């Protein structure tokens, strides 16, 4: 996944055309949030000054584990993007769940409400997630769950840059083995560079043998 190209494409193609998909993209990649968390995250959770999203259980949001709660650090550029899009929102949730169909005088809209009584997995922003997954696949993300692949990507990048423990904290895993098993992909060649202490000029074996004979 070319993250840099993906970010540029999302900003150019989604921000104006489909802001709800763009916001879901921002939360999925830059905050590493799960689908259910993105679905029910509220504007009140964003601390604009500290650049963090305070994820906590609400009437609707039931977190995966106790460790899933906490403050998620977000780049100030991402916070600026969310702040710019906030005035367009008509919901207490960061992602609006308005569904539209028809055209002209026949155009109708419906707001998918949050639910806590569904026996099956239910997402108020399911249409938004469907559009985001379709867009990600069009950009070459071939995973079965493209949205979740962004969480894996940010986890792998943090693990590479700052270590597995930092990635585990950012992703709010209750067990570091989960991070190691799923997110610490081999993004870079692991080395402590001790080879620099050696003579890097490797002499041909035949020359070495000749030198030994002469001494």
């Amino acid at each position: 996944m070319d993250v840099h190209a993906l970010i540029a494409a999302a900003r150019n193609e989604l921000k104006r055309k489909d802001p709800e998909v763009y916001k879901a993209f921002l939360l999925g990649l830059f905050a590493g949030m799960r689908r259910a968390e993105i679905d029910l995250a509220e504007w009140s959770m964003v601390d604009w000054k500290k650049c963090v999203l305070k994820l906590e259980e609400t009437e609707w949001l039931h977190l995966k584990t106790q460790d899933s709660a906490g403050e998620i650090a977000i780049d100030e550029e991402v916070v600026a993007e969310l702040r710019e899009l906030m005035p367009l929102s008509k919901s207490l949730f960061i992602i609006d769940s308005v569904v539209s169909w028809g055209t002209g005088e026949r155009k109708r809209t419906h707001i998918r409400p949050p639910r806590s009584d569904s026996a099956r997995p239910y997402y108020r922003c399911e249409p938004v997630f469907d559009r985001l997954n379709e867009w990600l696949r069009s950009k070459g993300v071939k995973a079965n769950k493209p949205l979740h692949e962004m969480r894996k990507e940010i986890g792998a990048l943090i693990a590479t840059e700052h270590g597995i423990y930092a990635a585990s904290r950012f992703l709010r895993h209750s067990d570091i083995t989960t991070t190691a098993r799923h997110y610490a992909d081999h993004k870079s060649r692991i080395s402590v560079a001790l080879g620099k202490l050696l003579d890097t000029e490797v002499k041909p074996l035949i020359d070495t043998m000749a030198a030994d004979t002469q001494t």
Side-chain angles (χ1 to χ4, degrees):
M1 183 189 301
D2 186 341
V3 178
H4 295 87
L6 198 64
I7 293 170
R11 197 168 193 273
N12 291 332
E13 299 176 20
L14 298 176
K15 184 176 180 178
R16 300 303 177 194
K17 182 179 178 181
D18 200 336
E20 303 313 314
V21 169
Y22 183 59
K23 287 185 288 185
F25 173 85
L26 294 177
L27 296 180
L29 180 60
F30 292 98
M33 293 171 64
R34 302 176 177 92
R35 179 186 292 230
E37 296 167 350
I38 297 172
D39 190 60
L40 296 167
E42 301 179 12
W43 286 113
S44 61
M45 295 179 179
V46 181
D47 188 321
W48 305 103
K49 292 183 178 180
K50 293 183 178 180
C51 291
V52 297
L53 191 150
K54 299 178 180 178
L55 196 64
E56 57 190 5
E57 290 211 348
T58 67
E59 176 184 359
W60 308 107
L61 177 58
H62 304 293
L63 299 174
K64 189 174 182 180
T65 67
Q66 291 183 343
D67 295 284
S68 296
E71 294 188 352
I72 303 174
I74 309 174
D75 295 332
E76 61 181 21
E77 295 86 354
V78 178
V79 171
E81 291 289 272
L82 291 174
R83 187 193 293 273
E84 183 181 341
L85 294 169
M86 185 180 179
L88 302 175
S89 176
K90 299 178 181 179
S91 171
L92 63 89
F93 299 103
I94 296 176
I95 313 297
D96 286 350
S97 59
V98 177
V99 179
S100 302
W101 67 93
T103 57
E105 296 181 354
R106 295 185 176 182
K107 185 175 182 178
R108 299 290 184 270
T109 60
H110 169 68
I111 297 176
R112 287 172 58 90
R115 292 178 56 183
S116 59
D117 59 347
S118 177
R120 300 170 54 187
Y122 169 85
Y123 302 102
R124 47 181 289 279
C125 298
E126 187 74 49
V128 175
F129 297 144
D130 288 343
R131 295 199 302 275
L132 177 54
N133 284 331
E134 182 180 358
W135 183 84
L136 288 169
R137 290 190 180 100
S138 75
K139 299 303 176 184
V141 181
K142 302 303 183 183
N144 290 331
K145 299 178 180 179
L147 174 56
H148 190 68
E149 192 69 13
M150 293 196 295
R151 175 175 164 83
K152 293 177 65 176
E153 184 68 16
I154 189 65
L157 291 172
I158 291 175
T160 298
E161 188 74 18
H162 302 289
I164 192 72
Y165 289 97
S168 184
R169 290 195 303 271
F170 181 83
L171 295 169
R172 295 163 289 115
H173 286 154
S174 58
D175 187 345
I176 197 170
T177 58
T178 301
T179 315
R181 185 169 62 250
H182 294 293
Y183 300 96
D185 298 335
H186 300 292
K187 290 289 179 182
S188 65
R189 183 172 179 268
I190 299 174
S191 172
V192 292
L194 287 178
K196 293 180 180 179
L197 301 178
L198 301 173
D199 181 0
T200 56
E201 183 181 353
V202 181
K203 301 176 181 178
L205 180 59
I206 187 170
D207 291 346
T208 303
M209 294 176 63
D212 291 342
T213 303
Q214 294 174 3
T215 55

